[in-house]
Amino acid sequence: AYIIDIKRGRVEASTDLIKFGAFVAYFPQLVAGPIERAGHLLRQFDVPRRLTSEGVRSGAALFLWGMYKKVVIADNVAPMANRVFENPGAMTAGELLLGIVAFTFQILCDFSGYTDMARGLARIMGLDLMINFNIPYVSRTPSEFWERWHISLSSWLRDYLYIPLGGNRGGVLLTYRNLFLTMLLGGLWHGASWTFIAWGAFHGGILIIYRLLNVDRWLDTQPKQGLTAAVRDVGLVAIMFALTMFGWLLFRAPDMATVGAFISGMATAGGWADAPWGALAFYVTPLILVQAWQVWRNELEFIPRLPPFLRLNAVLFLVYSLVFLAPKAPSAFIYFDF
């Protein structure tokens, strides 16, 4: 991307080996992102970084929230998902659904938690990393989902794969081809497995279907406020969330036989009371409440925006949760595998 940006005239080649090395190997985001561009991060090494009280406070709050999502939520729901995915044939339909829902929240909190910790550390040191997650599970359409989920990767695929393939410049059929190939290769990027290829193909397929139906354009013409708009958006979010969960089934399953076992097992539609829904709700409810507040206030960083008394209690809640709810056997970050 750096070389291509130089070729396109978007950035100038760095002549400082130390600064360039810092850009390539900047440790907070090195392993799992966000995937920074030279035009954003490299140029920040050209100016003095200053340690400020505001940067330390907001960076520490962001790091704390990210650590809570990873340690308290992701690491505690991971065993629920693992148990189901390890032996889906022995599970009831309710347990299979719980496994998918658990992984849906695990991967969000695991990956966005890492991103928040990386961004928080960088901010403390006077550097700014790009936002990589923007409440993706409130997306109404696939295109909106990819504008909210792993933004640095989806924008990278757009700029360095989709647009060079032709983007939407070659007519309808070529646009659909380019969309599908981009998502297919995005799936293959995660690993040489049929499940990752199926995951990429699935997301490419629903992107094409929603574009064929002109859902995004239709939404642009509809009222944004009112009861009708709220009911419409809730319905679209529910559909997109269900599609996303099916995608995560493809992503998490070790092979296509496991996917088949899930589909056939859930067709029985029984055993809903067998699954530990209460335990799952215990861990994910704080996340849902916070994200509802973020949507309502249209602010991603909620702790610095709270009144002092509520801010203190929020910090104490996160710290005590980390101390008392951290599992004895933590899980490695999911995206360390990629």
Side-chain angles (χ1 to χ4, degrees), residues 65-302:
W65 173 237
M67 192 174 185
Y68 171 86
K69 286 194 290 184
K70 164 59 180 169
V71 174
V72 177
I73 302 178
D75 286 359
N76 276 301
V77 303
M80 304 180 195
N82 294 340
R83 171 179 169 270
V84 174
F85 276 89
E86 286 168 1
N87 191 14
M91 302 294 162
T92 66
E95 290 172 317
L96 292 170
L97 179 59
L98 178 128
I100 300 173
V101 175
F103 181 73
T104 296
F105 283 101
Q106 178 196 354
I107 193 169
L108 170 67
C109 294
D110 189 287
F111 195 14
S112 69
Y114 180 98
T115 295
D116 287 348
M117 284 190 277
R119 295 184 64 234
L121 284 175
R123 186 178 300 171
I124 290 172
M125 294 185 284
L127 292 166
D128 173 62
L129 298 182
M130 68 176 293
I131 294 172
N132 207 25
F133 289 87
N134 184 10
I135 323 175
Y137 291 162
V138 300
S139 302
R140 299 171 297 175
T141 66
S143 59
E144 188 177 329
F145 176 81
W146 288 107
E147 291 172 357
R148 293 173 174 270
W149 176 275
H150 201 353
I151 300 167
S152 62
L153 175 62
S154 56
S155 61
W156 196 99
L157 291 171
R158 177 197 65 206
D159 294 343
Y160 302 107
L161 187 57
Y162 175 69
I163 292 176
L165 281 170
N168 57 4
R169 301 188 301 275
V172 174
L173 290 179
L174 286 179
T175 297
Y176 294 156
R177 182 207 67 177
N178 298 337
L179 271 175
F180 190 78
L181 282 177
T182 299
M183 296 310 300
L184 193 68
L185 291 171
L188 190 61
W189 177 84
H190 290 82
S193 166
W194 285 113
T195 53
F196 290 134
I197 293 173
W199 177 73
F202 171 74
H203 274 282
I206 61 175
L207 275 167
I208 291 172
I209 291 170
Y210 271 71
R211 182 170 286 222
L212 278 169
L213 297 174
N214 286 320
V215 177
D216 289 281
R217 290 184 180 180
W218 174 75
L219 283 171
D220 289 338
T221 65
Q222 299 303 302
K224 304 296 187 293
Q225 305 293 331
L227 179 60
T228 302
V231 172
R232 175 201 68 214
D233 288 347
V234 168
L236 289 172
V237 167
I239 294 171
M240 188 61 216
F241 186 69
L243 292 171
T244 302
M245 285 198 299
F246 181 77
W248 290 136
L249 167 61
L250 298 172
F251 189 93
R252 174 62 177 80
D255 48 50
M256 294 305 295
T258 302
V259 175
F262 265 84
I263 294 173
S264 61
M266 292 184 67
T268 62
W272 302 109
D274 298 333
W277 293 102
L280 179 64
F282 175 80
Y283 292 110
V284 304
T285 296
L287 173 75
I288 294 172
L289 293 175
V290 167
Q291 296 206 326
W293 187 93
Q294 291 171 318
V295 171
W296 174 54
R297 295 293 299 269
N298 195 27
E299 292 177 338
L300 286 179
E301 297 187 30
F302 69 100

